[in-house]
Amino acid sequence: MKPQALPEPAGWRPPRNWGRIGWPALWALYRRELLRYLRIAPESLGGALISSLLFLAVFTLAWPDRLQLQPGVSALVFLAPGIAGYALFHNAFENAAFGLLYDKLEGMLGDILMAPLTPAEILCAYVAAAATGGLITGSAVLLVLALFMPLPLPALLPVLAFAVLGTLFFALLGFLTGMWAEKWDRYAVVDTFLVMPLGMLSGSFFTPAILPETARWIMQVNPVFYLIDGFRSGFTGVSEVSPLFGFALGLVLTIGLGALVWRLLRRGWRVQS
Amino acid sequence: MRLLQVTHGASGLVPLEMRRYVQAMIDSNPSAPPAATPPAPRQLGQINWLGLWTLYLKEVRRFLNVITQTVMAPVVTALLFLAIFTLALGRGSMVVHGLPYALFLAPGLITMTMLQNSFANTSSSVLISKVQGNIVDVLMPPLSTFEFTLAYAAAGVTRGLLVGLATGLAMLPFVPLGLNAPHAVLWYALNASLMLALLGLIGGIWAEKFDHIAAVTNFVVVPLSFLSGTFYSVERLPEEWSFVAHFNPFFYLIDGLRFGLVGVHDGNLIFGAILVGVVNLLLWALAYRLVASGYKLKP
């Protein structure tokens, strides 16, 4: 016997159809994450600005006069993009990791996992907001540094391209850290033992030429070196390796990392019990 | 397990132990005098050593519980600073006060790390307790103002000294640090940690939310510890600024510890030693007064 179809109750509406991408939800989550960044901006942005200026001051005072790290580039012009690049990338990492881990530890992540959002949309919203925050911080740092020193900008394209690529890479790394960590201590471990050494020893503040021949591989295997080098080439016009190669490498790594994080999020690794 | 045993009495499920206890209460004669006299209040003496020690231990365990963040992270940061500054300045070709730059820099970084961590310890502890509301748990026990202040300050000093020692040991494989004047190391290390521990206590009492203490850290403590001669000899400062540096207690702390460890200094050591001692006495008096008055601690 064929079961009879029940009559639809009054006021019944079919489930909403979002289409391929749930734009309203994606936008809402992105906006929420960006508002979080803006809410804590006095500390994160203020701290980044102060530490960047301190680095500039301290290097200027500690350096012997007329030092050149790259041919034809004054030490300060070499240094400023390194400082800004480090601030940019590190802030993107912090934003993504902090946002996700805070939501997870406070038990709010369930609200986001329950909402009609696909894993790809959740990942995009968090990562895009973290990258936007990083770009805001980086731009602010560059502007403030430019107040204290002449900062040429011969090529805008590499600066923008590497800034966006680098912040996306670090935001993905931050998201992965947020997924993996179960407490704040774990986040501090990743920040202290992975992100800070990668960022600081990447050539933000020196060139591989300064290292002995046998130790240069340490920089050459560090993906951040290519990102910083390309980012800086927009300011100085000089680069250690071809910016195109650096960009391609960074793009491959970012896409690979993105795919990995997406797969983990889809499985609910360490975010769904 | 015995507590879980239940009897099916008239009043439903009652744990056996509790039933026995109640029965014993009913059986005893309520008009009879109590079997034992209630304990008299404890005589703690001039100083409540046990309470002081307990609060100190609680504060030390608080930071040891997250040792990765509180001890290892600062050590790694200091090592990274040593690496980038030494490398950026061209593989040790630079000489300051007749020393290779790395040797000049290392004591400065050790002091900077001590300063920042002593401050972080007391300020974060007091502020977190205030925000979470468990500050009453340390205000209610029989602890005097002196004991309260001393326990917090001593724990901050402990963290500062521990981090400083760990940083120094971690740097030893790269930089041949010596012990040029042990008494100077001891005096300046103690005073450096105490000064910032007291500042942290005052800051923690004053602050109402984390933004406040983050602002103090970002805009006062970090700049002062960076710009007071950690990375360069103050001789490199322009004339008008080097005058400012010579009234900065942070400068004397860094300078004195550098003298103790590698034997070079910029300022007058005797004046510095007296100045940091006096500053610490004043800070102690201020912290003591704040705790005694209950300013922002007791509503």
Side-chain angles (χ1 to χ4, degrees), chain B residues 122 197-207 282-284 286-287 290 295:
Chain B
T122 41
L198 289 170
L199 276 176
L201 187 58
I202 295 166
I205 291 174
W206 164 78
L282 293 175
L283 285 175
W284 172 271
L286 177 61
L290 287 182
Y295 171 74

Side-chain angles (χ1 to χ4, degrees), chain B:
Chain B
M1 277 311 288
R2 286 187 58 198
L3 268 175
L4 294 176
Q5 289 176 3
V6 289
T7 51
H8 298 260
S11 57
L13 300 174
V14 179
L16 184 59
E17 298 283 320
M18 192 182 285
R19 222 176 94 101
R20 282 184 183 158
Y21 177 73
V22 173
Q23 195 59 53
M25 296 265 293
I26 295 166
D27 291 347
S28 71
N29 182 0
S31 59
T37 48
R42 274 191 288 181
Q43 288 303 317
L44 295 166
Q46 284 286 90
I47 292 175
N48 177 1
W49 290 110
L50 181 64
L52 176 64
W53 176 246
T54 309
L55 183 56
Y56 168 76
L57 216 57
K58 172 224 165 217
E59 283 301 296
V60 171
R61 285 190 178 142
R62 196 188 73 90
F63 78 79
L64 286 182
N65 196 25
V66 280
I67 196 166
T68 335
Q69 283 175 65
T70 50
V71 181
M72 277 147 80
V75 173
V76 173
T77 312
L79 282 180
L80 283 175
F81 275 20
L82 185 68
I84 58 174
F85 276 87
T86 316
L87 287 171
L89 295 169
R91 246 192 290 170
S93 58
M94 205 172 96
V95 173
V96 184
H97 281 310
L99 292 176
Y101 182 67
L103 196 52
F104 175 85
L105 176 63
L109 286 175
I110 293 173
T111 322
M112 187 178 93
T113 313
M114 284 170 56
L115 298 175
Q116 293 179 356
N117 281 282
S118 311
F119 181 82
N121 201 61
T122 41
S123 62
S124 66
S125 176
V126 174
L127 185 59
I128 290 173
S129 292
K130 267 168 56 175
V131 170
Q132 294 184 344
N134 58 351
I135 189 81
V136 291
D137 297 343
V138 283
L139 290 172
M140 293 276 287
L143 284 165
S144 66
T145 307
F146 174 79
E147 290 148 7
F148 181 93
T149 316
L150 183 61
Y152 272 96
V157 170
T158 307
R159 165 135 163 227
L161 294 180
L162 189 64
V163 171
L165 186 69
T167 311
L169 289 178
M171 282 175 173
L172 264 187
F174 310 102
V175 188
L177 285 170
L179 209 56
N180 178 64
H183 56 284
V185 173
L186 196 66
W187 175 254
Y188 282 104
L190 265 177
N191 275 289
S193 308
L194 182 60
M195 192 181 290
L196 272 289
L198 289 170
L199 276 176
L201 187 58
I202 295 166
I205 291 174
W206 164 78
E208 276 157 18
K209 39 185 187 170
F210 292 105
D211 302 28
H212 293 160
I213 213 70
V216 177
T217 307
N218 280 336
F219 299 109
V220 181
V221 175
V222 172
L224 273 178
S225 57
F226 258 71
L227 298 176
S228 305
T230 302
F231 298 92
Y232 47 82
S233 162
V234 287
E235 283 172 10
R236 286 197 51 92
L237 288 171
E239 269 307 309
E240 58 270 39
W241 283 98
S242 76
F243 168 75
V244 174
H246 284 90
F247 281 96
N248 172 0
F250 282 41
F251 160 72
Y252 287 101
L253 294 173
I254 294 167
D255 201 44
L257 209 70
R258 178 173 287 137
F259 168 74
L261 286 174
V262 295
V264 299
H265 61 97
D266 282 328
N268 186 328
L269 289 170
I270 303 294
F271 177 71
I274 295 170
L275 180 78
V276 295
V278 171
V279 169
N280 272 338
L281 276 180
L282 293 175
L283 285 175
W284 172 271
L286 177 61
Y288 188 90
R289 272 198 66 84
L290 287 182
V291 177
S293 70
Y295 171 74
K296 290 201 179 183
L297 282 175
K298 301 172 189 170

Side-chain angles (χ1 to χ4, degrees), chain A residues 178-190:
Chain A
M179 285 178 78
W180 172 75
E182 283 152 351
K183 40 185 183 172
W184 290 108
D185 221 22
R186 297 281 173 85
Y187 160 75
V189 168
V190 178

